[in-house]
Amino acid sequence: MAELQEVQITEEKPLLPGQTPEAAKIHSVETPYGSVTFTVYGTPKPKRPAILTYHDVGLNYKSCFQPLFQFGDMQEIIQNFVRVHVDAPGMEEGAPVFPLGYQYPSLDQLADMIPCVLQYLNFSTVIGVGVGAGAYILSRYALNHPDTVEGLVLINIDPNAKGWMDWAAHKLTGLTSSIPEMILGHLFSQEELSGNSELIQKYRNIITHAPNLDNIELYWNSYNNRRDLNFERGGDITLKCPVMLVVGDQAPHEDAVMADSGGQPQLTQPGKLTEAFKYFLQGMGYMASSCMTRLSRSRTASLTSAASIDGNRSRSRTLSQSSESGTLSSGPPGHTMEVSC
Ligand code: BEZ
């Protein structure tokens, strides 16, 4: 009998005819750490937070979030929220290359730029959606400004500084690999990279030929120099808001490969992520339960184990929700939700 092979399928469900993307408004503001550019879609909705996104290294808001935010089923969610997509300095389309010797902000300083964005827009609270470095930045922002963050979706977050072993490995890799290769190795698993799917070809091409590659390297260096977020089990340093923690099954450091996704679930599994996001928002009181699909209703009945982001993650099949939220938060039951996709 022929052997069954696992094939990675990227979900596709484009906007329906008549579902036109909303117009984008691009803004820049000056901050103590330089200027930051962000793009706003939609209009503020009364009594609702803005959705604020922060992208990973090697990407910008569009290459990181467009497949998710333009996914067909996502429209019924995002039409209820104004969206603010922040580009890390020098990552916005057409960004000039920073001069030699430019001191790029640390991840903590990038987090400290966010209040300037919210002040400019006159927005008081957000639901943050961050990937990799962006997830770290939004977590730091939430730790510093807990009253302004209603919820966080953290995709592939690594809350810890590099240990000496990581540094040694990083230095060794740096001897033989180019910056684009190292960043691709951060975004995707080796299995995905050697599979060289259309998606990988597309992102390899974007990163290798990025006109702002020197800026990307500066963001990459800031990411590698991050300090510990210092979440402590039962300690004082905790996220106070509901958290949806997402791990791509093939995220480079994810050991237990489970289902059919990749290192960047917002690119490869927008449908699964949309459904989990809808469920997360419903838990926060922002989605009528009538909007829940049959699938997510049935998954609700099979919620399983607790999770934390301190490395002792207990893997659940697809979706788990925790009242014992470990190092992530110390709030009421149902505060933390882990999604593996
Ligand atoms: C949005 O509708 O928020 C969006 C559209 C295009 C790219 C990213 C986000």
Side-chain angles (χ1 to χ4, degrees):
M1 199 174 75
E3 254 183 58
L4 281 181
Q5 280 197 333
E6 229 179 70
V7 177
Q8 189 179 313
I9 298 167
T10 299
E11 291 178 303
E12 273 183 41
K13 192 170 186 183
L15 297 178
L16 297 168
Q19 271 186 315
T20 44
E22 286 170 282
K25 293 199 185 90
I26 304 173
H27 308 263
S28 291
V29 282
E30 281 308 318
T31 80
Y33 307 104
S35 114
V36 64
T37 299
F38 50 94
T39 307
V40 179
Y41 288 82
T43 49
K45 305 292 182 288
K47 301 206 178 121
R48 280 178 183 260
I51 292 176
L52 182 139
T53 70
Y54 218 115
H55 61 86
D56 204 352
V57 178
L59 308 174
N60 57 26
Y61 94 85
K62 249 191 207 165
S63 53
C64 191
F65 290 110
Q66 184 154 295
L68 176 63
F69 281 76
Q70 290 203 332
F71 189 73
D73 290 349
M74 190 68 165
Q75 305 315 302
E76 70 172 294
I77 300 177
I78 61 173
Q79 70 189 5
N80 298 305
F81 297 89
V82 63
R83 286 92 65 200
V84 184
H85 303 284
V86 180
D87 276 321
M91 306 305 140
E92 66 276 14
E93 269 173 19
V97 172
F98 289 121
L100 214 62
Y102 175 79
Q103 181 68 45
Y104 197 80
S106 65
L107 293 201
D108 291 358
Q109 291 171 332
L110 292 174
D112 284 342
M113 293 166 115
I114 294 174
C116 301
V117 173
L118 298 184
Q119 211 168 29
Y120 174 93
L121 293 168
N122 205 15
F123 292 169
S124 48
T125 63
V126 298
I127 293 172
V129 181
V131 183
Y136 179 105
I137 292 165
L138 293 182
S139 299
R140 174 68 71 201
Y141 171 74
L143 289 173
N144 293 342
H145 302 272
D147 296 344
T148 68
V149 183
E150 294 196 30
L152 277 179
V153 177
L154 304 175
I155 303 173
N156 294 341
I157 187 171
D158 183 347
N160 300 320
K162 273 191 184 300
W164 68 269
M165 289 273 278
D166 298 321
W167 266 114
H170 180 70
K171 289 284 166 215
L172 270 178
T173 314
L175 293 177
T176 51
S177 309
S178 62
I179 293 291
E181 276 178 80
M182 293 216 278
I183 293 173
L184 286 163
H186 160 75
L187 297 172
F188 301 101
S189 67
Q190 281 313 313
E191 198 182 330
E192 284 178 294
L193 291 171
S194 46
N196 205 25
S197 64
E198 260 180 47
L199 180 98
I200 296 295
Q201 288 174 41
K202 176 177 163 188
Y203 281 84
R204 182 173 274 137
N205 192 42
I206 290 176
I207 295 170
T208 311
H209 298 113
N212 61 339
L213 188 56
D214 290 351
N215 297 350
I216 294 175
E217 183 173 356
L218 296 176
Y219 186 22
W220 175 236
N221 291 341
S222 289
Y223 178 67
N224 288 311
N225 287 318
R226 71 193 180 277
R227 58 191 183 104
D228 278 343
L229 279 172
N230 271 328
F231 291 129
E232 280 169 27
R233 191 176 290 278
D236 291 339
I237 306 176
T238 54
L239 293 169
K240 308 289 185 222
C241 61
V243 176
M244 176 172 138
L245 190 58
V246 183
V247 186
D249 286 337
Q250 299 218 2
H253 305 294
E254 180 57 1
D255 36 15
V257 176
M258 292 177 63
D260 50 0
S261 181
Q264 298 289 306
Q266 80 287 2
L267 304 180
T268 55
Q269 299 284 306
K272 273 193 193 171
L273 216 48
T274 297
E275 194 178 11
F277 188 42
K278 204 189 280 184
Y279 179 57
F280 181 64
L281 290 174
Q282 199 219 5
M284 294 172 64
Y286 285 123
M287 293 291 295
S289 53
S290 57
C291 289
M292 300 286 285
T293 61
R294 186 183 48 77
L295 183 58
S296 55
R297 273 200 296 269
S298 70
R299 278 189 189 151
T300 312
S302 63
L303 296 179
T304 52
S305 58
S308 75
I309 55 172
D310 62 355
N312 300 322
R313 189 182 299 124
S314 71
R315 298 300 307 269
S316 60
R317 180 61 196 148
T318 296
L319 191 62
S320 73
Q321 197 166 37
S322 164
S323 54
E324 200 195 302
S325 49
T327 53
L328 260 176
S329 69
S330 56
H335 228 57
T336 306
M337 175 173 149
E338 185 180 359
V339 181
S340 156
C341 63

